[in-house]
Amino acid sequence: MDMDRARLQLNVLRNALYHAGQRRRYERYTRWSNFLVILLGASAMADLARLLDFPGGALLPGLLTTIVGGLQLVFDFGGKARDHQVLQRDYYTLLADIEDAPAADEAQIARFCAVMTRIATGEPPTLRALDARAYNDALSGLGHWSEGERLHIPLWHRIAGSVSAFDGYQYETLDERRVRRSVRDRLFSVKR
């Protein structure tokens, strides 16, 4: 397979998978926010708080309703989910076009790259740990990449990746990490 075409497929699939994950995350936030607003906003909750002589009475459910409703309005989880859904669809459409041209020449590859760049202009800032995970998923999905091409994602990045961009962090491939560790091990074994 031509490496330019394979690299293009990898990047387009990575972007589609990234936006699919982001869409699912924001849809989940929207569902939970809606659930909490309904649950906390119900007058029955206030009545129950009074009945149970809850500290603060009906104040706590009202306060929580205000906080959750405010978060939902300010961060617009549903709108973000829709944005990622559109980007996901656009990337999958481009991937289908690439698959439709198995013998793509340089001019077609250049057009595909241009389309990918146009789609990218509508993207919100990237959460790099989630993008690295999407990259690994795309490598696995396409099947013609070695295991060493996968990116190492530190545990903290996997935990906080949906809220922190980790700008400036350089993700190493597993091959790069093995080489670096091998060099380090040789250096420390010489010093002993």
Side-chain angles (χ1 to χ4, degrees), residues 8-10 12-13 16 90-100 142:
L8 179 63
Q9 283 178 306
L10 173 66
V12 171
L13 181 57
D90 291 347
Y91 279 117
Y92 275 125
T93 299
L94 176 56
L95 187 60
D97 292 342
I98 294 168
E99 292 295 322
D100 218 16
L142 290 172

mmCIF file with all atom_site columns, all heavy atoms in Angstrom, residues 8-10 12-13 16 90-100 142:
data_model
loop_
_atom_site.group_PDB
_atom_site.id
_atom_site.type_symbol
_atom_site.label_atom_id
_atom_site.label_alt_id
_atom_site.label_comp_id
_atom_site.label_asym_id
_atom_site.label_entity_id
_atom_site.label_seq_id
_atom_site.pdbx_PDB_ins_code
_atom_site.Cartn_x
_atom_site.Cartn_y
_atom_site.Cartn_z
_atom_site.occupancy
_atom_site.B_iso_or_equiv
_atom_site.pdbx_formal_charge
_atom_site.auth_seq_id
_atom_site.auth_comp_id
_atom_site.auth_asym_id
_atom_site.auth_atom_id
_atom_site.pdbx_PDB_model_num
ATOM 1   N N   . LEU A 1 8   ? -2.589  9.033  5.162  1.00 0.00 ? 8   LEU A N   1
ATOM 2   C CA  . LEU A 1 8   ? -3.801  9.842  5.046  1.00 0.00 ? 8   LEU A CA  1
ATOM 3   C C   . LEU A 1 8   ? -4.989  9.106  5.671  1.00 0.00 ? 8   LEU A C   1
ATOM 4   O O   . LEU A 1 8   ? -5.746  9.681  6.448  1.00 0.00 ? 8   LEU A O   1
ATOM 5   C CB  . LEU A 1 8   ? -4.081  10.174 3.580  1.00 0.00 ? 8   LEU A CB  1
ATOM 6   C CG  . LEU A 1 8   ? -5.330  10.985 3.288  1.00 0.00 ? 8   LEU A CG  1
ATOM 7   C CD1 . LEU A 1 8   ? -5.247  12.358 3.934  1.00 0.00 ? 8   LEU A CD1 1
ATOM 8   C CD2 . LEU A 1 8   ? -5.522  11.121 1.786  1.00 0.00 ? 8   LEU A CD2 1
ATOM 9   N N   . GLN A 1 9   ? -5.135  7.837  5.339  1.00 0.00 ? 9   GLN A N   1
ATOM 10  C CA  . GLN A 1 9   ? -6.216  7.038  5.927  1.00 0.00 ? 9   GLN A CA  1
ATOM 11  C C   . GLN A 1 9   ? -6.107  7.023  7.449  1.00 0.00 ? 9   GLN A C   1
ATOM 12  O O   . GLN A 1 9   ? -7.110  7.174  8.150  1.00 0.00 ? 9   GLN A O   1
ATOM 13  C CB  . GLN A 1 9   ? -6.161  5.596  5.425  1.00 0.00 ? 9   GLN A CB  1
ATOM 14  C CG  . GLN A 1 9   ? -6.680  5.396  4.036  1.00 0.00 ? 9   GLN A CG  1
ATOM 15  C CD  . GLN A 1 9   ? -6.531  3.944  3.624  1.00 0.00 ? 9   GLN A CD  1
ATOM 16  O OE1 . GLN A 1 9   ? -5.439  3.384  3.694  1.00 0.00 ? 9   GLN A OE1 1
ATOM 17  N NE2 . GLN A 1 9   ? -7.615  3.350  3.198  1.00 0.00 ? 9   GLN A NE2 1
ATOM 18  N N   . LEU A 1 10  ? -4.888  6.840  7.946  1.00 0.00 ? 10  LEU A N   1
ATOM 19  C CA  . LEU A 1 10  ? -4.665  6.805  9.383  1.00 0.00 ? 10  LEU A CA  1
ATOM 20  C C   . LEU A 1 10  ? -5.111  8.115  10.025 1.00 0.00 ? 10  LEU A C   1
ATOM 21  O O   . LEU A 1 10  ? -5.832  8.116  11.030 1.00 0.00 ? 10  LEU A O   1
ATOM 22  C CB  . LEU A 1 10  ? -3.185  6.551  9.680  1.00 0.00 ? 10  LEU A CB  1
ATOM 23  C CG  . LEU A 1 10  ? -2.765  6.658  11.144 1.00 0.00 ? 10  LEU A CG  1
ATOM 24  C CD1 . LEU A 1 10  ? -3.418  5.568  11.978 1.00 0.00 ? 10  LEU A CD1 1
ATOM 25  C CD2 . LEU A 1 10  ? -1.261  6.595  11.259 1.00 0.00 ? 10  LEU A CD2 1
ATOM 26  N N   . VAL A 1 12  ? -7.166  10.458 8.870  1.00 0.00 ? 12  VAL A N   1
ATOM 27  C CA  . VAL A 1 12  ? -8.603  10.696 8.735  1.00 0.00 ? 12  VAL A CA  1
ATOM 28  C C   . VAL A 1 12  ? -9.374  9.813  9.710  1.00 0.00 ? 12  VAL A C   1
ATOM 29  O O   . VAL A 1 12  ? -10.284 10.287 10.404 1.00 0.00 ? 12  VAL A O   1
ATOM 30  C CB  . VAL A 1 12  ? -9.068  10.472 7.280  1.00 0.00 ? 12  VAL A CB  1
ATOM 31  C CG1 . VAL A 1 12  ? -10.580 10.512 7.168  1.00 0.00 ? 12  VAL A CG1 1
ATOM 32  C CG2 . VAL A 1 12  ? -8.451  11.516 6.353  1.00 0.00 ? 12  VAL A CG2 1
ATOM 33  N N   . LEU A 1 13  ? -9.005  8.545  9.804  1.00 0.00 ? 13  LEU A N   1
ATOM 34  C CA  . LEU A 1 13  ? -9.678  7.649  10.743 1.00 0.00 ? 13  LEU A CA  1
ATOM 35  C C   . LEU A 1 13  ? -9.434  8.101  12.181 1.00 0.00 ? 13  LEU A C   1
ATOM 36  O O   . LEU A 1 13  ? -10.349 8.095  13.006 1.00 0.00 ? 13  LEU A O   1
ATOM 37  C CB  . LEU A 1 13  ? -9.213  6.202  10.546 1.00 0.00 ? 13  LEU A CB  1
ATOM 38  C CG  . LEU A 1 13  ? -9.875  5.173  11.455 1.00 0.00 ? 13  LEU A CG  1
ATOM 39  C CD1 . LEU A 1 13  ? -11.395 5.180  11.305 1.00 0.00 ? 13  LEU A CD1 1
ATOM 40  C CD2 . LEU A 1 13  ? -9.311  3.784  11.177 1.00 0.00 ? 13  LEU A CD2 1
ATOM 41  N N   . ALA A 1 16  ? -11.767 10.923 12.867 1.00 0.00 ? 16  ALA A N   1
ATOM 42  C CA  . ALA A 1 16  ? -13.150 10.449 12.989 1.00 0.00 ? 16  ALA A CA  1
ATOM 43  C C   . ALA A 1 16  ? -13.369 9.774  14.342 1.00 0.00 ? 16  ALA A C   1
ATOM 44  O O   . ALA A 1 16  ? -14.381 10.025 15.013 1.00 0.00 ? 16  ALA A O   1
ATOM 45  C CB  . ALA A 1 16  ? -13.483 9.482  11.847 1.00 0.00 ? 16  ALA A CB  1
ATOM 46  N N   . ASP A 1 90  ? -18.093 14.123 8.693  1.00 0.00 ? 90  ASP A N   1
ATOM 47  C CA  . ASP A 1 90  ? -17.263 14.637 7.606  1.00 0.00 ? 90  ASP A CA  1
ATOM 48  C C   . ASP A 1 90  ? -16.005 13.796 7.419  1.00 0.00 ? 90  ASP A C   1
ATOM 49  O O   . ASP A 1 90  ? -15.597 13.499 6.289  1.00 0.00 ? 90  ASP A O   1
ATOM 50  C CB  . ASP A 1 90  ? -16.893 16.097 7.855  1.00 0.00 ? 90  ASP A CB  1
ATOM 51  C CG  . ASP A 1 90  ? -18.087 17.033 7.748  1.00 0.00 ? 90  ASP A CG  1
ATOM 52  O OD1 . ASP A 1 90  ? -19.158 16.611 7.251  1.00 0.00 ? 90  ASP A OD1 1
ATOM 53  O OD2 . ASP A 1 90  ? -17.949 18.200 8.181  1.00 0.00 ? 90  ASP A OD2 1
ATOM 54  N N   . TYR A 1 91  ? -15.369 13.408 8.525  1.00 0.00 ? 91  TYR A N   1
ATOM 55  C CA  . TYR A 1 91  ? -14.163 12.581 8.411  1.00 0.00 ? 91  TYR A CA  1
ATOM 56  C C   . TYR A 1 91  ? -14.479 11.184 7.872  1.00 0.00 ? 91  TYR A C   1
ATOM 57  O O   . TYR A 1 91  ? -13.732 10.644 7.059  1.00 0.00 ? 91  TYR A O   1
ATOM 58  C CB  . TYR A 1 91  ? -13.430 12.491 9.755  1.00 0.00 ? 91  TYR A CB  1
ATOM 59  C CG  . TYR A 1 91  ? -12.578 13.702 10.034 1.00 0.00 ? 91  TYR A CG  1
ATOM 60  C CD1 . TYR A 1 91  ? -12.843 14.526 11.117 1.00 0.00 ? 91  TYR A CD1 1
ATOM 61  C CD2 . TYR A 1 91  ? -11.499 14.038 9.212  1.00 0.00 ? 91  TYR A CD2 1
ATOM 62  C CE1 . TYR A 1 91  ? -12.060 15.640 11.382 1.00 0.00 ? 91  TYR A CE1 1
ATOM 63  C CE2 . TYR A 1 91  ? -10.724 15.147 9.461  1.00 0.00 ? 91  TYR A CE2 1
ATOM 64  C CZ  . TYR A 1 91  ? -11.000 15.945 10.543 1.00 0.00 ? 91  TYR A CZ  1
ATOM 65  O OH  . TYR A 1 91  ? -10.223 17.055 10.804 1.00 0.00 ? 91  TYR A OH  1
ATOM 66  N N   . TYR A 1 92  ? -15.583 10.590 8.304  1.00 0.00 ? 92  TYR A N   1
ATOM 67  C CA  . TYR A 1 92  ? -15.946 9.283  7.763  1.00 0.00 ? 92  TYR A CA  1
ATOM 68  C C   . TYR A 1 92  ? -16.323 9.374  6.281  1.00 0.00 ? 92  TYR A C   1
ATOM 69  O O   . TYR A 1 92  ? -16.041 8.455  5.513  1.00 0.00 ? 92  TYR A O   1
ATOM 70  C CB  . TYR A 1 92  ? -17.081 8.642  8.564  1.00 0.00 ? 92  TYR A CB  1
ATOM 71  C CG  . TYR A 1 92  ? -16.590 7.891  9.787  1.00 0.00 ? 92  TYR A CG  1
ATOM 72  C CD1 . TYR A 1 92  ? -17.082 8.181  11.052 1.00 0.00 ? 92  TYR A CD1 1
ATOM 73  C CD2 . TYR A 1 92  ? -15.648 6.869  9.679  1.00 0.00 ? 92  TYR A CD2 1
ATOM 74  C CE1 . TYR A 1 92  ? -16.638 7.497  12.171 1.00 0.00 ? 92  TYR A CE1 1
ATOM 75  C CE2 . TYR A 1 92  ? -15.198 6.183  10.787 1.00 0.00 ? 92  TYR A CE2 1
ATOM 76  C CZ  . TYR A 1 92  ? -15.698 6.502  12.029 1.00 0.00 ? 92  TYR A CZ  1
ATOM 77  O OH  . TYR A 1 92  ? -15.246 5.818  13.134 1.00 0.00 ? 92  TYR A OH  1
ATOM 78  N N   . THR A 1 93  ? -16.939 10.469 5.876  1.00 0.00 ? 93  THR A N   1
ATOM 79  C CA  . THR A 1 93  ? -17.248 10.667 4.459  1.00 0.00 ? 93  THR A CA  1
ATOM 80  C C   . THR A 1 93  ? -15.956 10.741 3.649  1.00 0.00 ? 93  THR A C   1
ATOM 81  O O   . THR A 1 93  ? -15.833 10.129 2.587  1.00 0.00 ? 93  THR A O   1
ATOM 82  C CB  . THR A 1 93  ? -18.086 11.953 4.267  1.00 0.00 ? 93  THR A CB  1
ATOM 83  O OG1 . THR A 1 93  ? -19.313 11.803 4.982  1.00 0.00 ? 93  THR A OG1 1
ATOM 84  C CG2 . THR A 1 93  ? -18.378 12.205 2.800  1.00 0.00 ? 93  THR A CG2 1
ATOM 85  N N   . LEU A 1 94  ? -14.977 11.495 4.167  1.00 0.00 ? 94  LEU A N   1
ATOM 86  C CA  . LEU A 1 94  ? -13.678 11.579 3.484  1.00 0.00 ? 94  LEU A CA  1
ATOM 87  C C   . LEU A 1 94  ? -13.008 10.209 3.449  1.00 0.00 ? 94  LEU A C   1
ATOM 88  O O   . LEU A 1 94  ? -12.446 9.820  2.411  1.00 0.00 ? 94  LEU A O   1
ATOM 89  C CB  . LEU A 1 94  ? -12.781 12.602 4.184  1.00 0.00 ? 94  LEU A CB  1
ATOM 90  C CG  . LEU A 1 94  ? -11.358 12.727 3.652  1.00 0.00 ? 94  LEU A CG  1
ATOM 91  C CD1 . LEU A 1 94  ? -11.334 13.052 2.156  1.00 0.00 ? 94  LEU A CD1 1
ATOM 92  C CD2 . LEU A 1 94  ? -10.587 13.771 4.452  1.00 0.00 ? 94  LEU A CD2 1
ATOM 93  N N   . LEU A 1 95  ? -13.066 9.464  4.538  1.00 0.00 ? 95  LEU A N   1
ATOM 94  C CA  . LEU A 1 95  ? -12.468 8.132  4.565  1.00 0.00 ? 95  LEU A CA  1
ATOM 95  C C   . LEU A 1 95  ? -13.123 7.230  3.516  1.00 0.00 ? 95  LEU A C   1
ATOM 96  O O   . LEU A 1 95  ? -12.430 6.474  2.820  1.00 0.00 ? 95  LEU A O   1
ATOM 97  C CB  . LEU A 1 95  ? -12.603 7.510  5.959  1.00 0.00 ? 95  LEU A CB  1
ATOM 98  C CG  . LEU A 1 95  ? -11.884 6.191  6.183  1.00 0.00 ? 95  LEU A CG  1
ATOM 99  C CD1 . LEU A 1 95  ? -10.384 6.331  5.964  1.00 0.00 ? 95  LEU A CD1 1
ATOM 100 C CD2 . LEU A 1 95  ? -12.159 5.690  7.595  1.00 0.00 ? 95  LEU A CD2 1
ATOM 101 N N   . ALA A 1 96  ? -14.442 7.335  3.365  1.00 0.00 ? 96  ALA A N   1
ATOM 102 C CA  . ALA A 1 96  ? -15.136 6.555  2.329  1.00 0.00 ? 96  ALA A CA  1
ATOM 103 C C   . ALA A 1 96  ? -14.657 6.957  0.938  1.00 0.00 ? 96  ALA A C   1
ATOM 104 O O   . ALA A 1 96  ? -14.469 6.091  0.063  1.00 0.00 ? 96  ALA A O   1
ATOM 105 C CB  . ALA A 1 96  ? -16.643 6.742  2.446  1.00 0.00 ? 96  ALA A CB  1
ATOM 106 N N   . ASP A 1 97  ? -14.439 8.241  0.714  1.00 0.00 ? 97  ASP A N   1
ATOM 107 C CA  . ASP A 1 97  ? -13.932 8.708  -0.579 1.00 0.00 ? 97  ASP A CA  1
ATOM 108 C C   . ASP A 1 97  ? -12.531 8.157  -0.849 1.00 0.00 ? 97  ASP A C   1
ATOM 109 O O   . ASP A 1 97  ? -12.207 7.772  -1.977 1.00 0.00 ? 97  ASP A O   1
ATOM 110 C CB  . ASP A 1 97  ? -13.905 10.240 -0.641 1.00 0.00 ? 97  ASP A CB  1
ATOM 111 C CG  . ASP A 1 97  ? -15.301 10.852 -0.654 1.00 0.00 ? 97  ASP A CG  1
ATOM 112 O OD1 . ASP A 1 97  ? -16.274 10.116 -0.954 1.00 0.00 ? 97  ASP A OD1 1
ATOM 113 O OD2 . ASP A 1 97  ? -15.412 12.056 -0.357 1.00 0.00 ? 97  ASP A OD2 1
ATOM 114 N N   . ILE A 1 98  ? -11.708 8.103  0.189  1.00 0.00 ? 98  ILE A N   1
ATOM 115 C CA  . ILE A 1 98  ? -10.355 7.551  0.041  1.00 0.00 ? 98  ILE A CA  1
ATOM 116 C C   . ILE A 1 98  ? -10.435 6.061  -0.283 1.00 0.00 ? 98  ILE A C   1
ATOM 117 O O   . ILE A 1 98  ? -9.728  5.560  -1.160 1.00 0.00 ? 98  ILE A O   1
ATOM 118 C CB  . ILE A 1 98  ? -9.521  7.798  1.319  1.00 0.00 ? 98  ILE A CB  1
ATOM 119 C CG1 . ILE A 1 98  ? -9.275  9.294  1.501  1.00 0.00 ? 98  ILE A CG1 1
ATOM 120 C CG2 . ILE A 1 98  ? -8.205  7.031  1.267  1.00 0.00 ? 98  ILE A CG2 1
ATOM 121 C CD1 . ILE A 1 98  ? -8.724  9.658  2.876  1.00 0.00 ? 98  ILE A CD1 1
ATOM 122 N N   . GLU A 1 99  ? -11.305 5.350  0.423  1.00 0.00 ? 99  GLU A N   1
ATOM 123 C CA  . GLU A 1 99  ? -11.484 3.919  0.162  1.00 0.00 ? 99  GLU A CA  1
ATOM 124 C C   . GLU A 1 99  ? -12.018 3.678  -1.245 1.00 0.00 ? 99  GLU A C   1
ATOM 125 O O   . GLU A 1 99  ? -11.737 2.655  -1.855 1.00 0.00 ? 99  GLU A O   1
ATOM 126 C CB  . GLU A 1 99  ? -12.436 3.301  1.193  1.00 0.00 ? 99  GLU A CB  1
ATOM 127 C CG  . GLU A 1 99  ? -11.888 3.253  2.593  1.00 0.00 ? 99  GLU A CG  1
ATOM 128 C CD  . GLU A 1 99  ? -10.687 2.332  2.710  1.00 0.00 ? 99  GLU A CD  1
ATOM 129 O OE1 . GLU A 1 99  ? -10.662 1.262  2.074  1.00 0.00 ? 99  GLU A OE1 1
ATOM 130 O OE2 . GLU A 1 99  ? -9.752  2.701  3.448  1.00 0.00 ? 99  GLU A OE2 1
ATOM 131 N N   . ASP A 1 100 ? -12.782 4.628  -1.745 1.00 0.00 ? 100 ASP A N   1
ATOM 132 C CA  . ASP A 1 100 ? -13.373 4.534  -3.081 1.00 0.00 ? 100 ASP A CA  1
ATOM 133 C C   . ASP A 1 100 ? -12.336 4.721  -4.188 1.00 0.00 ? 100 ASP A C   1
ATOM 134 O O   . ASP A 1 100 ? -12.629 4.475  -5.353 1.00 0.00 ? 100 ASP A O   1
ATOM 135 C CB  . ASP A 1 100 ? -14.467 5.602  -3.217 1.00 0.00 ? 100 ASP A CB  1
ATOM 136 C CG  . ASP A 1 100 ? -15.660 5.116  -3.991 1.00 0.00 ? 100 ASP A CG  1
ATOM 137 O OD1 . ASP A 1 100 ? -15.802 3.885  -4.170 1.00 0.00 ? 100 ASP A OD1 1
ATOM 138 O OD2 . ASP A 1 100 ? -16.467 5.973  -4.403 1.00 0.00 ? 100 ASP A OD2 1
ATOM 139 N N   . LEU A 1 142 ? -6.898  -0.078 11.229 1.00 0.00 ? 142 LEU A N   1
ATOM 140 C CA  . LEU A 1 142 ? -6.427  -0.232 9.857  1.00 0.00 ? 142 LEU A CA  1
ATOM 141 C C   . LEU A 1 142 ? -5.605  -1.506 9.682  1.00 0.00 ? 142 LEU A C   1
ATOM 142 O O   . LEU A 1 142 ? -5.559  -2.057 8.589  1.00 0.00 ? 142 LEU A O   1
ATOM 143 C CB  . LEU A 1 142 ? -5.619  0.996  9.426  1.00 0.00 ? 142 LEU A CB  1
ATOM 144 C CG  . LEU A 1 142 ? -6.455  2.266  9.250  1.00 0.00 ? 142 LEU A CG  1
ATOM 145 C CD1 . LEU A 1 142 ? -5.560  3.468  9.018  1.00 0.00 ? 142 LEU A CD1 1
ATOM 146 C CD2 . LEU A 1 142 ? -7.451  2.107  8.114  1.00 0.00 ? 142 LEU A CD2 1
#
